[in-house]
């Protein structure tokens, strides 16, 4: 399956790229390219950041992962391409997927809306408890 995913996006299935895709599969932490590089470089010390970045870019361009702009410091990546929203903890930065539909009705004359993404900001249960 992983090798097929790489073939679909016209990338050679190198051990490093396979490791990147494996790292992303089912990953709900919404990692940045740096997070992925740091994890993969422990297994493959010779991997370059460019390999990670270019693999992520290709996966995103082919619709295999989402590229999120939820972090002002860096892009984050989500392997779950099913439409969903996110909750971001203001204290620890944890990102949680929200699959409840957020009913937003927006009419912009002359515009065609293709997708929507709603972000919720607040405190996760752990951080909420810390703040008490």
């Amino acid at each position: 399956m992983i090798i097929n995913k790489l073939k679909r996006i016209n990338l050679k299935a190198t051990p490093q790229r396979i490791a990147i895709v494996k790292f992303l599969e089912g990953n709900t932490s919404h990692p940045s390219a740096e997070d992925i590089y740091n994890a993969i470089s422990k297994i493959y010390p010779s991997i370059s950041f460019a390999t990670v970045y270019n693999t992520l870019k290709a996966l995103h361009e082919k619709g295999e992962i989402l590229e999120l702009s939820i972090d002002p410091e860096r892009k984050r990546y989500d392997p779950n391409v099913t439409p969903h929203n996110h909750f971001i903890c203001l204290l620890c930065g944890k990102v949680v997927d929200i699959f409840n539909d957020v009913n937003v009705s927006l009419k912009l004359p002359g515009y065609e809306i293709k997708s929507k993404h709603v972000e919720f900001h607040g405190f996760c249960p752990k951080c909420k408890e810390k703040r008490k």
Side-chain angles (χ1 to χ4, degrees):
M1 176 148 172
I2 291 172
I3 293 172
N4 290 338
K5 187 176 278 195
L6 289 167
K7 283 181 181 177
R8 277 197 307 271
I9 61 173
N10 297 319
L11 287 179
K12 185 177 176 186
T14 65
Q16 293 87 348
R17 288 184 182 135
I18 291 169
I20 292 166
V21 174
K22 247 186 210 181
F23 180 84
L24 285 169
E25 280 192 341
N27 189 322
T28 59
S29 70
H30 306 84
S32 67
E34 292 87 357
D35 296 331
I36 297 165
Y37 172 77
N38 290 334
I40 302 302
S41 65
K42 290 175 184 170
I43 304 161
Y44 297 100
S46 63
I47 192 170
S48 69
F49 184 76
T51 297
V52 173
Y53 181 78
N54 290 333
T55 302
L56 292 171
K57 183 178 177 188
L59 287 165
H60 170 65
E61 287 173 353
K62 294 293 184 175
E64 298 287 341
I65 61 173
L66 298 176
E67 187 178 85
L68 306 175
S69 300
I70 57 176
D71 183 338
E73 302 291 318
R74 61 191 56 90
K75 291 178 184 171
R76 308 270 292 263
Y77 297 90
D78 191 342
N80 187 342
V81 296
T82 305
H84 63 284
N85 302 296
H86 294 96
F87 173 88
I88 301 120
C89 180
L90 294 169
L91 196 57
C92 70
K94 181 178 182 174
V95 181
V96 178
D97 292 329
I98 299 175
F99 293 98
N100 299 44
D101 187 31
V102 177
N103 192 5
V104 176
S105 180
L106 180 66
K107 294 182 191 231
L108 292 171
Y111 291 84
E112 179 182 353
I113 297 171
K114 294 294 219 176
S115 66
K116 67 177 180 188
H117 178 252
V118 178
E119 293 177 18
F120 298 90
H121 300 263
F123 300 100
C124 69
K126 198 176 196 179
C127 291
K128 183 180 169 187
E129 193 61 35
K130 279 183 195 175
R131 295 183 72 231
K132 285 185 177 180

